[in-house]
Amino acid sequence: MINAKFDNVKTVLKFHKQIVEQQEEAHGKHYCQMHQAIKRFWSEGECKKYMELGTHQGGSASNAMMLDPTPKKITLIDIDMSRYNSVLKPIAEKHCHSNKIELDVRETSSIGFAAVEGTDMLVIDSVHKAGWMQQELDLHGKNVRKYIVAHDTKRLFDQVDEQLHHTLVEWGKRNKFILVDRGEASVGYTVIARK
């Protein structure tokens, strides 16, 4: 994934627009289609708490800050928050304060105890390896009340690679989650829901 360059960004909306434009120019038209799935299931599922593993610069995080209904809490997890801190952090803090969103940013491993949190929706976009995702699912899955959404479940590193999709779906079958959506354009995404 590219590191986007930002020009005079002062709002979450402008940040999100710029990062999506740059990511889709670099990686293909539907690279960020997961954002639309998040919006759809968030509103349908009457969710209140959002959690993300693998924040990087904050493309999905900025999407979460504009969800309707407004989240009560957003938890962001990444082992290195320096890219998030460099641009989005001050904008996000101002936005979340104005919209009464509790913003919880943790610089920690997604498979460590410090990352554990109850949530309605968990978004996984961290280490793109099946074994790592399995550890994340085993640690966090029991704390997810409604949806788990994963990015990059069709293609990895410009090649078809569905290991993350299969890991998520198989874990779901063992843990009372069902497949409810799958995007296969660009890198793809997968959504499972608690039964």
Side-chain angles (χ1 to χ4, degrees), residues 168-179:
L168 182 60
V169 171
E170 290 306 310
W171 180 90
K173 287 177 185 174
R174 295 188 305 273
N175 291 277
K176 299 183 179 173
F177 279 78
I178 58 168
L179 176 67

Side-chain angles (χ1 to χ4, degrees), residues 22-157:
Q22 291 178 53
Q23 287 181 342
E24 292 199 341
E25 182 179 333
H27 303 295
K29 183 178 177 188
H30 300 288
Y31 182 80
C32 296
Q33 74 176 163
M34 176 182 75
H35 295 188
Q36 297 307 314
I38 290 169
K39 287 178 182 176
R40 185 172 75 251
F41 287 101
W42 180 268
S43 62
E44 289 175 9
E46 299 177 358
C47 299
K48 295 179 180 174
K49 291 185 176 182
Y50 172 95
M51 182 175 182
E52 177 176 295
L53 309 178
T55 299
H56 194 64
Q57 286 185 284
S60 297
S62 62
N63 181 63
M65 291 170 197
M66 298 182 295
L67 290 170
D68 184 19
T70 302
K72 292 199 179 301
K73 183 171 185 180
I74 294 174
T75 303
L76 306 176
I77 306 290
D78 203 299
I79 195 73
D80 177 4
M81 282 291 185
S82 60
R83 289 179 186 90
Y84 166 85
N85 291 338
S86 68
V87 179
L88 185 55
K89 180 183 177 182
I91 301 164
E93 288 175 350
K94 182 179 178 184
H95 176 90
C96 288
H97 178 75
S98 297
N99 290 280
K100 297 181 170 69
I101 300 169
E102 181 184 349
L103 180 60
D104 181 3
V105 179
R106 302 180 197 176
E107 189 170 76
T108 189
S109 171
S110 62
I111 58 169
F113 182 73
V116 176
E117 172 91 15
T119 191
D120 295 310
M121 179 179 282
L122 176 67
V123 173
I124 301 176
D125 193 10
S126 55
V127 178
H128 295 90
K129 294 182 178 173
W132 189 275
M133 178 186 265
Q134 186 69 54
Q135 291 179 74
E136 290 173 326
L137 292 167
D138 290 342
L139 179 64
H140 297 283
K142 62 185 170 287
N143 300 313
V144 178
R145 289 179 284 280
K146 300 194 177 187
Y147 302 105
I148 301 175
V149 183
H151 199 221
D152 302 293
T153 59
K154 180 66 179 178
R155 297 180 70 81
L156 284 172
F157 311 111

